[in-house]
Amino acid sequence: MKISFIIAAFGAVLLSGCEMAEITQPPVQYKATKSLNEKGVKDFTARTFALKDGNRKEISGVPCKMSAPGFHSSFVTPAVVATPDMGPRTPVGSLSCTYNGDKKLEIMRPVNETVAQIESSAASAGAGAGIIGVIVSGISASTQKSRRDATLDQYGYPDVSVVFK
């Protein structure tokens, strides 16, 4: 319990130095270029930053394009971007943004959000209980992963920060 509190307090201190711009536009929808047979929609957040004199400052209004086989979307940052959940068939994509003539490309790898949530919950549960807690939570996570219906797993892309120098 104490370790969780310390980690949360440390995270709050780190985030307090970084002011995040408010996202005022509605989620950006993707445009399909072929039949995707998606089973749902997942969102990720895209933000852009500039490094100046060693300081990282968020910049708004940067044009970006997310594309992957079968779909794409165009938007300005910061933005919440909708993407198709095609289960394990969710493809690797790319995000390209341009700021002051500088173009950055980020590879977007889909993640199994269901498995990630199981592992995160287990890690949180065992964090304050020492080595025994880590072992027990690992066994619990392994059991949950093996007993779940993998066809119901949700896939999406992680939030992304593009940094310009």
Side-chain angles (χ1 to χ4, degrees):
M1 185 71 141
K2 289 180 183 178
I3 292 174
S4 297
F5 176 74
I6 292 169
I7 292 171
F10 183 69
V13 169
L14 287 176
L15 290 177
S16 66
C18 184
E19 200 171 309
M20 303 296 254
E22 182 180 354
I23 299 174
T24 57
Q25 61 184 319
V28 177
Q29 300 303 311
Y30 64 89
K31 295 174 182 69
T33 57
K34 66 178 185 179
S35 177
L36 299 174
N37 296 319
E38 65 268 42
K39 59 184 203 170
V41 175
K42 297 300 290 181
D43 296 337
F44 72 89
T45 301
R47 294 184 178 275
T48 48
F49 297 86
L51 281 181
K52 210 170 229 186
D53 301 325
N55 294 321
R56 182 175 138 158
K57 180 173 170 129
E58 185 168 12
I59 47 179
S60 298
V62 176
C64 297
K65 181 174 182 176
M66 196 283 182
S67 59
F71 67 95
H72 63 87
S73 57
S74 296
F75 54 92
V76 295
T77 61
V80 173
V81 182
T83 59
D85 174 0
M86 296 184 278
R89 297 179 301 102
T90 302
V92 172
S94 64
L95 176 72
S96 62
C97 301
T98 305
Y99 175 68
N100 286 344
D102 190 13
K103 186 173 186 176
K104 294 284 183 175
L105 177 71
E106 297 285 333
I107 302 301
M108 302 289 292
R109 298 189 189 288
V111 294
N112 183 327
E113 293 180 355
T114 304
V115 169
Q117 179 61 40
I118 290 169
E119 291 171 350
S120 175
S121 294
S124 296
I131 191 71
I132 298 298
V134 171
I135 293 169
V136 170
S137 62
I139 292 169
S140 173
S142 181
T143 302
Q144 287 178 7
K145 288 191 289 187
S146 67
R147 290 186 177 171
R148 78 186 195 291
D149 181 353
T151 63
L152 301 176
D153 285 3
Q154 296 180 350
Y155 285 74
Y157 298 93
D159 293 345
V160 64
S161 296
V162 179
V163 180
F164 291 91
K165 295 181 182 179

